[in-house]
Amino acid sequence: MKKTAHIISHSHWDREWYLPFEKHRYYFIKLMNNLIDEFEQEGNQFQSFHLDGQTVLLEDYFAVHPENREKVKQLIEEKKLTIGPWYVLQDAFLTSSEANVRNLLIGMNDAKAYGHVSKIGYFPDTFGIYGQAPQLLKQAGIETAAFGRGVKPTGFNNTVSDTPNFESPFSEMIWKSPDGSSVLGILFANWYSNGNEIPVDEEEARVFWNHKLQDAEKYASTNQLLFMNGCDHQPLQKTIPEAIETASALYSDYTFKHSSFDEYTDALKKVLPEKLQVIEGELRNQRTDGWSTLVNTASARIYLKQWNNRCQTLLEKIAEPLAAFGYLANGTYPREYIRFMWKSLLKNHPHDSICGCSVDEVHREMVTRFERVSQMGEVFVQEQAAELALTVDTSKTPDGGIPFVVMNTTGWNKNEVVTKLVDLEKVYFSQMHFEEIPAYLRDKEMPAYKLVDDQGQTVEFQLVSPTVEFGYDLPDDKFRQPFFAKRATLSFYAEEIPSFGYKTYYLVPEGHSLVQQQIKAPVNDLEMENEFVHLLFHEDGTYDVTDKKTGKAFHRLGIYEDTGDVGNEYMFKEAKGYSAITTKGIPAEFTLVERSALRTVLEFKHTLSIPVSADEQLDVERHKLIWHKEREAGRANEMTAISLRTVVTLEKGMKGPAFKLFINNQATDHRLRVLFPTGLQTETHQADSIFEIVTRPNTPEKEWENSSFCHHQQRFVSLSDDKMGVTVATDGLHEYEILQKDGTIAVTVLRSVAELGDWGYFPTPEAQCLGLQTAEWQVLLHQKDVLASKAYVDAYQYKVPLLAIQTSIHEGKLPGTHQFVNWETNGLVWSSMRVAEEQDDVIVRWFNPAGQKEMLKAAIHDDARSYKSSILEEKTTDSKNLYEVEGHEIITLGFHHKR
Ligand SMILES: [Zn+2]
């Protein structure tokens, strides 16, 4: 049977990588201009070009050539230029579940507006892919995914595979999500450059094709062969029509076709064998020697991951739900501004960007992008919250009282200590000469207060250190209004703040003391305790933590471990010689910072002596481009001291202590981790991933040679036996390893390297992360595992705070306590709440972390109708009140809000 060689012209365009963005863009403009010229030439046989699956490239181009917008649109409509479905080619594991959805939603909407969307789930270079990707693609109407990594192709000789995990005899396979959704998976078994630079010259072409045809046929399950005519930042090969002519003359058994993914997959699907290997779940290169997984990009430049986690949380867990509340209250939704914030953040999500595996200029620019997103998010939240608070009726505030509204933008009820700056009294410059205000406010005696909620219940609180500070209002209809305020820090325990809702509190003058409430004196300064846990610290900063309900304890958690690293931004390679240096047995210096009814804060400091850098061998190896696996470099003999300051906080209501580590990093070429030796002996553990709490083995497959076996996590990692468990929730710490010895969870808090890695020598001194670095996590104890105990609720809420807004006394249509969306279910994970991208329905998303069915009931008010929607916010079922959610299903509901 005649075979078809599909040649797809493309260029894999990392927006920024070994060059900063603007330098790569210079070459991209050239590529686009060449493409347009090529397509415009009369009689030209150049058929089509695949624009790397990401629509952001067009924005990059139009910023320089806005005059070519219509021309490009026409090329897309004519399917000569193929774009989408993504906005950027993101890293799959280092961006949140919602960021992965938004990337698809925004990319598909953009591509649609340009004229045509490529319906291929394109992951050419992605450093591993999450297991729920087939479900996401399926919900978006995409039936095929193409990827370059994750699965090992074994070739024809192994057509009957007895190892179903992550091994396929063919480059075509079925890829299945845990919920059972599946797509056709196409592996670039010979990489996405297997048809790059095809010769026109007959002799050269013969050599090229003899080799390339054989390579493709080794893995192809059909007579439809795929050749990717391009590579990273590949310029246009204009001579493809001539090269095809040469090839056609040489090989009469083959049809050579300048093709597209649409044409290739159509032809492929007609001839696919009945039975293809089924690959289930995550694609993480687990059936390899472990030296090229790129997993340690999870710990390269951790500061970027922390920035990202903060920005994602700000947009998806605070700003969007808050704006949706505003929509339900006032009928307006700043959709365009929200999309702009998302696009700005997504520009930091390409694999070479968020992975921290580019040159220093790239990551410096990323920090300013994160700063901009955070500025936008902050002003947005401040203004939206203030507007919403104006619709809440505070007219019944007791005399002289200060009302404020505590908002819960998450999908779970919250009990949490709220800390808020309150302006006890404000004097505007229009009321008094500004030079006189500070003294007036300082000398003015303030009344004592009590704190009550809108049900009249008295609430315990602390009000400390009033100071006089400058501030200003920016009214909608007037010039700026400067003032001085007498400002104090108010802390109180906010209880039962409804999910997707708020509760109003009043600070009311009363004959009550302003002094902090005292509790019983500390028994011992090295202990801390609340209603859930008790902690006892040892001299070296390790601690025993006891679950007060069950009496079960874990001992000596929290050891710091330092190891030499002679690898690069992609991969960790332990330096030879030295064994790990730890804080075990090294006395720490303790300080009690605060002990009140609401919180205990303890601080301890270590000075750890470690080698100042790698030894001289490393520099030689870097310059000779010695691959990380082969490196022999060790650590230097010269030592330096790094200081580690740990602040532990345990507040009322917290299920476990929260830690913030301040590292003054003065050493290079090393890795610092925090170790939790749980003593639990298990085969597997669980980790938070994209719309999934995934179970992974503690030990690698037999092919694995790398002595390090690290993994990705989104927000937490968990180890448990059938009785008890420990979950470590983190803020942008995405790398962990499970060490079988002592059942230890090791979380990377800092990795210092000095080169990019990959195809040349690119020094990246800033990847050493010198100076002050921080890391934050929370330790949660539970019975059974993280799922059965629902400890994930606390883990997902870590670092998603309540929002407290001081407001004026006014009438309003909303009551003092309110919930915008009521929902009932036993075990779903809330993910998002917003108003749809292209219509006015409120969209709320959850996923089922368990394998069994769950029921979900949800309503925005008594008569609100809801429907099931795809992740693209398209209605898929009729209105219902009760939904059956399949195991591992991602469920999105739309609420049609009648106003
Ligand atoms: Zn790439």
Side-chain angles (χ1 to χ4, degrees):
M1 202 161 119
K2 203 165 175 174
K3 296 177 176 177
T4 305
H6 291 265
I7 297 162
I8 299 181
S9 292
H10 81 109
S11 190
H12 172 55
W13 210 273
D14 304 300
R15 290 179 84 232
E16 45 194 15
W17 182 25
Y18 58 88
L19 288 175
F21 168 65
E22 286 302 348
K23 290 189 178 174
H24 276 311
R25 170 151 73 176
Y26 181 84
Y27 299 102
F28 182 67
I29 300 296
K30 265 191 171 172
L31 170 70
M32 281 298 292
N33 285 341
N34 279 337
L35 255 176
I36 294 171
D37 278 357
E38 198 57 24
F39 282 127
E40 280 188 335
Q41 271 174 38
E42 205 149 320
N44 199 314
Q45 295 301 302
F46 198 93
Q47 298 293 323
S48 67
F49 191 88
H50 187 253
L51 208 52
D52 204 31
Q54 44 173 340
T55 60
V56 70
L57 293 178
L58 292 183
E59 290 177 12
D60 296 344
Y61 178 70
F62 294 141
V64 179
H65 283 288
E67 77 284 3
N68 283 345
R69 184 178 280 268
E70 283 311 308
K71 270 185 202 168
V72 169
K73 239 184 119 185
Q74 198 184 334
L75 292 173
I76 294 167
E77 278 164 12
E78 291 167 356
K79 299 186 185 172
K80 287 181 173 166
L81 204 55
T82 322
I83 62 155
W86 306 111
Y87 180 59
V88 299
L89 287 187
Q90 81 279 41
D91 183 79
F93 284 115
L94 296 177
T95 55
S96 69
S97 304
E98 285 302 320
N100 276 282
V101 171
R102 304 322 165 80
N103 189 31
L104 190 56
L105 182 64
I106 291 175
M108 287 186 80
N109 283 342
D110 276 1
K112 228 188 309 169
Y114 289 126
H116 179 69
V117 194
S118 165
K119 288 276 185 87
I120 184 136
Y122 199 57
F123 301 92
D125 196 16
T126 318
F127 306 165
I129 316 174
Y130 48 89
Q132 290 278 37
Q135 185 180 176
L136 242 71
L137 295 174
K138 239 351 212 286
Q139 286 203 24
I142 296 174
E143 304 277 342
T144 311
F147 42 85
R149 303 179 202 270
V151 177
K152 185 166 71 178
T154 51
F156 263 152
N157 298 333
N158 193 7
T159 39
V160 186
S161 170
D162 57 354
T163 50
N165 295 330
F166 319 116
E167 255 189 20
S168 169
F170 300 124
S171 42
E172 296 82 34
M173 64 203 79
I174 303 298
W175 181 22
K176 203 166 157 188
S177 281
D179 75 310
S181 305
S182 65
V183 294
L184 171 64
I186 296 167
L187 171 70
F188 296 123
N190 298 295
W191 205 228
Y192 52 73
S193 58
N194 70 329
N196 198 25
E197 301 187 334
I198 304 174
V200 175
D201 173 78
E202 199 180 303
E203 263 326 291
E204 286 175 29
R206 196 191 306 274
V207 174
F208 177 92
W209 284 115
N210 280 348
H211 173 57
K212 297 288 183 178
L213 287 168
Q214 199 187 1
D215 279 353
E217 285 171 39
K218 191 171 157 198
Y219 302 118
S221 65
T222 74
N223 60 349
Q224 303 297 310
L225 310 176
L226 175 61
F227 294 93
M228 296 296 287
N229 172 236
C231 196
D232 304 340
H233 308 106
Q234 182 71 29
L236 182 64
Q237 186 183 352
K238 296 181 182 179
T239 55
I240 276 297
E242 292 87 331
I244 286 177
E245 222 170 279
T246 306
S248 304
L250 284 174
Y251 300 87
S252 56
D253 296 352
Y254 293 83
T255 302
F256 291 85
K257 179 177 168 52
H258 199 196
S259 193
S260 64
F261 274 110
D262 281 356
E263 292 167 286
Y264 164 67
T265 53
D266 280 354
L268 177 70
K269 282 175 181 170
K270 284 183 192 136
V271 291
L272 275 179
E274 263 174 44
K275 238 178 132 53
L276 283 172
Q277 189 84 10
V278 178
I279 303 288
E280 292 188 24
E282 306 183 302
L283 307 185
R284 298 190 305 133
N285 297 293
Q286 298 301 289
R287 299 303 301 264
T288 67
D289 66 9
W291 284 109
S292 310
T293 64
L294 317 186
V295 67
N296 305 111
T297 52
S299 59
R301 305 179 193 256
I302 282 176
Y303 63 94
L304 295 174
K305 279 73 167 175
Q306 294 167 325
W307 260 117
N308 189 45
N309 200 45
R310 286 197 295 270
C311 289
Q312 285 176 164
T313 303
L314 183 60
L315 297 199
E316 71 194 43
K317 303 292 186 256
I318 302 171
E320 281 187 332
L322 183 63
F325 297 173
Y327 170 75
L328 290 170
N330 299 318
T332 57
Y333 188 74
R335 178 179 287 117
E336 292 71 21
Y337 197 82
I338 291 174
R339 190 186 305 131
F340 181 67
M341 291 196 284
W342 267 111
K343 279 193 166 186
S344 305
L345 180 58
L346 290 171
K347 285 189 177 116
N348 273 349
H349 287 180
H351 46 277
D352 293 315
S353 309
I354 192 60
C355 285
C357 56
S358 291
V359 291
D360 289 341
E361 294 97 310
V362 167
H363 301 300
R364 248 179 268 144
E365 184 174 357
M366 281 178 69
V367 171
T368 64
R369 281 189 211 125
F370 281 130
E371 281 172 347
R372 288 179 43 225
V373 172
S374 127
Q375 289 158 8
M376 289 188 266
E378 279 167 20
V379 71
F380 183 88
V381 165
Q382 174 196 310
E383 292 297 314
Q384 292 282 318
E387 266 177 50
L388 184 66
L390 286 178
T391 64
V392 176
D393 187 4
T394 55
S395 60
K396 296 192 180 64
T397 305
D399 248 7
I402 300 168
F404 50 98
V405 184
V406 176
M407 300 175 186
N408 178 1
T409 53
T410 80
W412 287 290
N413 292 354
K414 258 180 181 288
N415 300 310
E416 193 173 285
V417 172
V418 168
T419 301
K420 156 95 189 134
L421 288 175
V422 179
D423 289 344
L424 300 172
E425 187 164 348
K426 255 183 189 179
V427 181
Y428 287 91
F429 289 13
S430 55
Q431 296 169 300
M432 194 184 286
H433 191 276
F434 68 88
E435 288 176 4
E436 293 165 15
I437 308 174
Y440 164 80
L441 283 173
R442 199 173 45 241
D443 297 343
K444 186 169 177 188
E445 207 149 300
M446 301 309 290
Y449 290 96
K450 69 171 178 176
L451 183 69
V452 293
D453 67 15
D454 79 314
Q455 304 301 310
Q457 297 286 328
T458 310
V459 180
E460 254 186 300
F461 73 103
Q462 285 169 210
L463 193 62
V464 292
S465 24
T467 51
V468 174
E469 282 170 38
F470 168 77
Y472 55 88
D473 294 339
L474 297 175
D476 279 349
D477 54 354
K478 278 201 290 258
F479 192 54
R480 61 185 185 233
Q481 305 279 305
F483 60 78
F484 280 104
K486 192 151 188 167
R487 192 167 277 172
T489 306
L490 170 72
S491 299
F492 66 99
Y493 186 55
E495 235 174 329
E496 287 300 310
I497 309 296
S499 65
F500 304 129
Y502 64 84
K503 193 166 167 179
T504 307
Y505 290 82
Y506 307 97
L507 198 57
V508 185
E510 200 223 27
H512 193 277
S513 163
L514 224 174
V515 179
Q516 283 190 38
Q517 284 147 31
Q518 292 295 321
I519 56 153
K520 59 179 180 180
V523 183
N524 178 334
D525 281 355
L526 297 185
E527 284 180 43
M528 55 198 337
E529 174 170 25
N530 69 1
E531 61 274 42
F532 297 109
V533 290
H534 174 271
L535 273 97
L536 172 68
F537 284 84
H538 299 281
E539 252 200 342
D540 62 359
T542 59
Y543 46 92
D544 301 341
V545 53
T546 308
D547 181 337
K548 286 173 74 170
K549 201 158 117 198
T550 62
K552 284 179 181 151
F554 291 95
H555 301 280
R556 299 225 170 234
L557 303 183
I559 302 161
Y560 296 117
E561 172 220 67
D562 192 79
T563 319
D565 186 349
V566 296
N568 53 45
E569 290 181 332
Y570 293 97
M571 292 301 289
F572 165 76
K573 170 72 164 68
E574 187 169 350
K576 272 206 158 174
Y578 264 99
S579 51
I581 297 165
T582 74
T583 51
K584 219 170 174 173
I586 297 180
E589 193 188 308
F590 286 85
T591 316
L592 181 68
V593 180
E594 181 181 344
R595 194 187 285 277
S596 67
L598 292 175
R599 69 173 75 85
T600 307
V601 183
L602 191 67
E603 184 181 296
F604 56 90
K605 283 182 197 156
H606 279 104
T607 306
L608 196 62
S609 183
I610 62 169
V612 68
S613 64
D615 65 18
E616 284 149 14
Q617 174 74 11
L618 180 58
D619 201 43
V620 176
E621 290 174 341
R622 280 175 183 152
H623 280 90
K624 284 165 82 177
L625 304 186
I626 307 270
W627 195 40
H628 55 273
K629 181 191 169 186
E630 320 290 346
R631 288 186 178 175
E632 299 279 328
R635 303 186 83 171
N637 291 324
E638 190 192 332
M639 305 296 269
T640 187
I642 59 168
S643 82
L644 305 174
R645 182 166 67 93
T646 308
V647 178
V648 195
T649 304
L650 186 66
E651 292 182 331
K652 186 178 165 98
M654 276 169 62
K655 299 282 177 59
F659 294 79
K660 183 163 187 176
L661 171 64
F662 298 82
I663 309 158
N664 184 0
N665 183 30
Q666 297 302 328
T668 59
D669 316 314
H670 69 123
R671 179 187 70 183
L672 186 71
R673 306 200 288 189
V674 55
L675 308 182
F676 306 91
T678 66
L680 297 168
Q681 288 308 314
T682 63
E683 303 281 303
T684 60
H685 64 276
Q686 288 166 306
D688 180 41
S689 185
I690 304 303
F691 293 114
E692 185 179 14
I693 297 171
V694 69
T695 300
R696 293 173 180 157
N698 293 354
T699 47
E701 300 280 347
K702 58 183 186 301
E703 297 92 333
W704 198 268
E705 291 172 11
N706 192 342
S707 55
S708 157
F709 186 47
C710 290
H711 312 275
H712 284 100
Q713 59 166 329
Q714 263 298 308
R715 298 185 84 94
F716 58 84
V717 54
S718 185
L719 202 59
S720 54
D721 59 19
D722 51 0
K723 294 191 188 67
M724 63 199 288
V726 175
T727 295
V728 182
T730 72
D731 179 19
L733 306 175
H734 290 297
E735 182 182 284
Y736 72 91
E737 188 173 8
I738 302 296
L739 310 171
Q740 278 302 82
K741 189 178 175 297
D742 299 331
T744 300
I745 301 173
V747 176
T748 309
V749 294
L750 173 71
R751 202 160 75 82
S752 299
V753 290
E755 69 171 323
L756 193 154
D758 210 278
W759 62 276
Y761 179 43
F762 301 95
T764 58
E766 289 168 26
Q768 297 282 18
C769 304
L770 293 174
L772 182 67
Q773 307 294 325
T774 62
E776 290 184 76
W777 62 89
Q778 185 180 17
V779 177
L780 300 162
L781 306 192
H782 43 81
Q783 298 181 55
K784 296 180 184 161
D785 67 23
V786 66
L787 262 178
S789 62
K790 296 207 173 67
Y792 60 79
V793 175
D794 297 295
Y796 283 122
Q797 301 226 50
Y798 172 58
K799 290 277 167 187
V800 189
L802 290 168
L803 206 61
I805 309 299
Q806 184 173 350
T807 189
S808 57
I809 298 169
H810 49 254
E811 309 230 305
K813 59 183 168 190
L814 291 176
T817 297
H818 185 58
Q819 187 178 29
F820 291 97
V821 178
N822 312 300
W823 65 290
E824 279 170 46
T825 180
N826 209 6
L828 297 186
V829 174
W830 169 70
S831 184
S832 159
M833 178 190 190
R834 66 200 301 256
V835 175
E837 202 52 34
E838 299 197 313
Q839 28 96 355
D840 285 338
D841 292 352
V842 173
I843 299 286
V844 187
R845 181 160 34 251
W846 297 265
F847 72 92
N848 185 351
Q852 66 272 16
K853 277 183 191 165
E854 276 294 340
M855 301 309 284
L856 169 65
K857 209 172 158 180
I860 42 176
H861 44 72
D862 294 344
D863 66 340
R865 287 167 302 142
S866 67
Y867 56 85
K868 206 158 140 177
S869 141
S870 72
I871 57 155
L872 295 187
E873 302 170 348
E874 286 159 346
K875 189 172 177 174
T876 57
T877 66
D878 287 334
S879 304
K880 280 187 191 176
N881 290 320
L882 188 66
Y883 298 86
E884 202 172 84
V885 186
E886 297 294 331
H888 302 291
E889 182 182 346
I890 303 163
I891 180 164
T892 307
L893 297 188
F895 297 87
H896 187 66
H897 174 53
K898 276 181 297 188
R899 286 201 328 274

